[in-house]
Amino acid sequence: MCGITGYIGYNEAVPVIIDGLKRLEYRGYDSAGIAVIQEERLWLLKKEGRLERLEGMLNGSHPRSSLGIGHTRWATHGVPSDDNAHPHTDCRGRIAVVHNGIIENFAGLRRWLEREGHRFSSETDTEVLAHLVEHHYHGSLEEAVRRALEAVEGSYALAVICADEPDKIVAVRNQSPLVVGVGENEYYLASDIPAILNRTRKVYLLEDREMAVLTRDGVAISNGEGKRVAKDMFTVTWSAEAAEKGGYPHFMIKEIMEQPRALRDTLRGRIQGGRVEFSDVDLDCCLDGVENVFIVACGTAYHAGVVGKHVIEQMARLPVEVDIASEFRYRDVLWRDKSLLIVISQSGETADTLAALREAKKKGIKVLAVTNVVGSSVAREADRVIYTWAGPEIAVASTKAYSTQLLVMYLLGLYLAQKRGTLPEEVIASTVRELRGIADKVEAILEKAGAVEAIAEKYAATASTFFIGRGLDYAVALEGALKLKEISYVHAEAYAAGELKHGTLALIEEGVPVIAIVTQDELQDKMISNVKEVKARGAEVIGIGKEGLTGIEEEADELFVIPGEDPLLTPMLTVVPLQLFAYYMAVKRGCDVDKPRNLAKSVTVE
């Protein structure tokens, strides 16, 4: 996720662009840059780091120009650096491009463009767009952009300017947001409404494949076939603060709702036909001959690792240990020559996880990292990295990062199964098909958020809750309990349901809410028996069930049903109502949802 701004009119462009980037910095903050056209020449400035570093380089001095584009970056391809910062230019320095999204086939396009004589100066996927536009440019910028995109696979919102046509911005979107703002004899471009809300409340919301051509005379919008379209103008009624959150009251609920997009982005380019292919990373140096796996992480990432253990063992038939990083680093680990350490960290800077990584490296153990931040310490020090393309998470409580971590665990399990021959090809293909559709099912759950809110309303005054499940449902129960306790301050504990008789039942009393997750077909009967046990002692049961799996509806006081799914994949769905439950409980209790007390987003000390 990155932030794009653009301006064309009769005022100075640079201050407008910089102001817009400040309002979009929540979308990415590892580098920033601007490009403007002055006297038919392209002027470019970009810098690694926060936007204030770019401002410092300007030092109040900038070209007098009334047209330009800007970008604040959240790295995907290529570490944060000056060279990798946007905008990117063509060989002649006449065309500049800013881009939000992922170009899946950039590697092949880059090789072809290099054979055609184009020279690259960055590691990014975006730079291929600048050279593709250059390759097709014959006097019409919009036609060159349209022709360039015919070769592109992936997601994009992009803005392009050209010194040969100094009175025009061309913008296109596909699966990444882009809006056009309409002012008085001036026009704006932005990834999100907050960037322009202080200047205009009149916007066009571009749809997939639509192209907008901005000039000082107006905005022309066309569809993917190049035909002009008439669009209704949208008038924004939100406050600036609400707009930054996409109209949502908190970043956490915004990020919960962004999970379908994050899942699609993380999956993009990693499946080919009915197989998993990590086109963005060569994993074989870590995975060849591996005999056992250790998964190490903290907090929510640890819970993703618990699911990962089940998935890799079942799919790839490899023994897996999963441990909390703060404990693992002090163990006398029995490494093998062919051991693999997988570390999971949203930020890539978690101190205990880094310490475990470094200890493994000292022992000569291969380390595979799963992280959301390109260029983070974990990413730099691991042997290989699989990135989760969740985009920046602003809320302290992790939601979309967890979902994408789960998806990577499934992709990794399938990839290992392919290498080891532990699953039939038809089973792999079937599971890949299920993963392709997982984002749609998450969307279906999110459409029923109101039902979860009603349940939270009922139990908002509770002091203590318990989560129970078996197998993979227990793994998700751990995450559900963590979410609830960290943002609503309700005491919440997760237990393997089979352990109820070993002490937990002593805590069950009249009116205590018990969240019971029942999605594992083979464990259904045992879970229903456990539910009956807590019901007999006065508990009120909130059931999370699955379409087609009966029994829980007869016992639960409240029930939320997820779409039908392969039991192995249900964690990616069951966690969503639990996230919503935690969120609405916190709201009803008047808690600071995005910044819970005593907690930080990234734990960088022991």
Side-chain angles (χ1 to χ4, degrees):
M1 183 188 292
C2 304
I4 290 172
T5 61
Y7 173 80
I8 182 170
Y10 294 95
N11 294 309
E12 290 191 24
V14 172
V16 177
I17 293 168
I18 292 293
D19 180 66
L21 292 179
K22 287 179 179 178
R23 298 169 189 274
L24 287 181
E25 208 169 6
Y26 64 90
R27 292 186 62 91
Y29 36 77
D30 61 42
S31 61
I34 58 176
V36 300
I37 296 175
Q38 183 186 44
E39 297 177 353
E40 299 186 11
R41 295 184 62 185
L42 190 67
W43 185 90
L44 183 75
L45 183 66
K46 52 186 185 175
K47 188 66 178 174
E48 182 268 333
R50 303 297 290 252
L51 181 60
E52 60 193 31
R53 297 188 67 188
L54 183 72
E55 283 191 282
M57 293 177 67
L58 286 168
N59 195 27
S61 176
H62 55 77
R64 299 294 182 255
S65 172
S66 57
L67 177 150
I69 54 178
H71 190 272
T72 181
R73 184 174 187 243
W74 176 263
T76 54
H77 295 76
V79 299
S81 69
D82 291 354
D83 287 339
N84 289 333
H86 297 213
H88 289 286
T89 61
D90 66 325
C91 298
R92 301 181 304 142
R94 304 288 287 173
I95 295 168
V97 177
V98 291
H99 166 232
N100 171 33
I102 299 171
I103 305 303
E104 295 177 29
N105 60 334
F106 88 97
L109 290 173
R110 178 167 176 152
R111 288 192 295 269
W112 174 74
L113 286 163
E114 286 175 332
R115 288 196 298 270
E116 292 292 312
H118 291 265
R119 302 179 306 279
F120 284 76
S121 59
S122 78
E123 305 167 291
T124 68
D125 56 336
T126 298
E127 193 180 355
V128 303
L129 295 171
H131 293 286
L132 278 172
V133 173
E134 177 189 21
H135 187 81
H136 291 289
Y137 185 76
H138 301 291
S140 170
L141 184 58
E142 53 262 52
E143 182 61 25
V145 172
R146 201 180 299 278
R147 290 286 306 280
L149 291 177
E150 291 175 357
V152 169
E153 298 172 9
S155 61
Y156 48 81
L158 62 121
V160 188
I161 59 176
C162 177
D164 295 330
E165 299 182 60
D167 57 352
K168 180 183 299 182
I169 301 174
V170 175
V172 192
R173 70 152 283 177
N174 182 46
Q175 301 178 38
S176 293
L178 203 58
V179 303
V180 177
V182 179
E184 294 293 332
N185 298 315
E186 55 187 358
Y187 301 90
Y188 309 91
L189 190 69
S191 293
D192 279 348
I193 289 170
I196 57 177
L197 193 54
N198 63 324
R199 301 180 183 278
T200 182
R201 290 183 174 269
K202 297 177 180 179
V203 299
Y204 292 114
L205 306 175
L206 296 186
E207 303 295 337
D208 281 351
R209 305 287 182 177
E210 286 186 341
M211 172 184 286
V213 179
L214 285 65
T215 67
R216 293 175 182 84
D217 296 325
V219 179
I221 300 174
S222 57
N223 61 20
E225 287 72 47
K227 296 179 180 178
R228 288 286 296 271
V229 296
K231 293 185 71 69
D232 293 332
M233 190 176 292
F234 176 68
T235 300
V236 182
T237 58
W238 312 325
S239 68
E241 182 181 3
E244 187 172 297
K245 299 181 178 75
Y248 294 103
H250 302 95
F251 277 109
M252 182 179 176
I253 188 64
K254 176 178 181 283
E255 289 160 6
I256 288 172
M257 295 297 178
E258 286 176 344
Q259 287 177 116
R261 190 274 309 160
L263 291 168
R264 291 184 180 109
D265 283 350
T266 299
L267 194 63
R268 188 171 288 118
R270 289 170 170 168
I271 51 177
Q272 303 291 332
R275 292 175 62 83
V276 175
E277 300 293 343
F278 283 96
S279 59
D280 54 335
V281 57
D282 177 11
L283 296 178
D284 290 346
C285 79
C286 289
L287 302 184
D288 283 347
V290 63
E291 295 175 354
N292 69 316
V293 177
F294 296 88
I295 300 178
V296 173
C298 299
T300 286
Y302 166 73
H303 296 154
V306 175
V307 174
K309 169 184 168 66
H310 284 262
V311 169
I312 294 172
E313 287 186 339
Q314 185 164 332
M315 289 182 173
R317 311 307 299 161
L318 275 170
V320 180
E321 288 188 43
V322 59
D323 209 344
I324 298 167
S326 57
E327 293 294 316
F328 185 85
R329 62 183 293 191
Y330 297 112
R331 283 178 50 188
D332 187 8
V333 180
L334 300 178
W335 300 107
R336 300 181 189 173
D337 289 341
K338 291 293 185 178
S339 292
L340 171 68
L341 175 65
I342 300 174
V343 295
I344 309 175
S345 170
Q346 187 281 138
S347 68
E349 302 295 346
T350 311
D352 289 314
T353 303
L354 267 170
L357 179 157
R358 289 163 180 163
E359 188 61 31
K361 295 285 285 184
K362 287 180 185 177
K363 303 289 186 182
I365 302 301
K366 294 291 187 182
V367 178
L368 173 62
V370 177
T371 185
N372 197 39
V373 181
V374 175
S376 60
S377 297
V378 159
R380 293 195 308 271
E381 297 184 34
D383 292 283
R384 290 291 186 272
V385 187
I386 302 176
Y387 289 111
T388 57
W389 303 130
E393 266 194 341
I394 307 301
V396 166
S398 181
T399 52
K400 60 179 181 174
Y402 173 80
S403 297
T404 54
Q405 287 165 356
L406 288 188
L407 180 55
V408 167
M409 290 295 101
Y410 287 106
L411 292 172
L412 186 57
L414 286 167
Y415 188 75
L416 279 163
Q418 289 169 187
K419 286 182 66 68
R420 294 169 56 81
T422 52
L423 283 179
E425 288 294 326
E426 58 269 22
V427 173
I428 293 173
S430 174
T431 307
V432 165
R433 282 196 300 273
E434 293 284 342
L435 288 178
R436 284 183 185 273
I438 209 77
D440 294 338
K441 292 183 177 180
V442 170
E443 282 181 336
I445 293 171
L446 293 172
E447 289 172 359
K448 299 189 290 184
V452 181
E453 183 177 10
I455 297 172
E457 179 81 49
K458 179 178 178 180
Y459 294 101
T462 193
S464 186
T465 61
F466 298 95
F467 291 68
I468 59 173
R470 285 176 178 260
L472 282 166
D473 287 341
Y474 169 56
V476 179
L478 292 167
E479 176 61 10
L482 174 61
K483 280 292 153 288
L484 185 62
K485 74 179 74 171
E486 69 181 337
I487 62 168
S488 75
Y489 316 143
V490 172
H491 171 254
E493 297 296 336
Y495 292 96
E499 289 293 290
L500 285 171
K501 295 186 180 72
H502 298 278
T504 312
L505 277 174
L507 299 172
I508 303 300
E509 55 188 10
E510 195 72 28
V512 169
V514 174
I515 294 87
I517 309 173
V518 188
T519 70
Q520 301 299 295
D521 298 27
E522 294 182 355
L523 298 170
Q524 175 195 8
D525 292 341
K526 294 185 183 297
M527 267 301 300
I528 298 302
S529 295
N530 297 138
V531 170
K532 289 180 177 179
E533 286 177 331
V534 297
K535 287 280 290 182
R537 288 154 179 85
E540 294 198 23
V541 173
I542 302 169
I544 307 293
K546 182 178 70 168
E547 286 178 357
L549 203 59
T550 59
I552 184 62
E553 73 281 356
E554 298 174 2
E555 303 295 335
D557 297 278
E558 303 286 346
L559 179 64
F560 189 92
V561 179
I562 65 167
E565 186 59 270
D566 180 341
L568 188 61
L569 303 182
T570 57
M572 301 192 69
L573 303 181
T574 51
V575 72
V576 179
L578 298 182
Q579 293 169 345
L580 290 168
F581 181 68
Y583 170 75
Y584 288 121
M585 284 283 283
V587 170
K588 305 299 180 187
R589 293 167 64 87
C591 301
D592 189 343
V593 174
D594 289 335
K595 297 178 181 178
R597 67 191 182 201
N598 305 329
L599 299 178
K601 183 64 181 171
S602 178
V603 182
T604 57
V605 295
E606 183 177 357

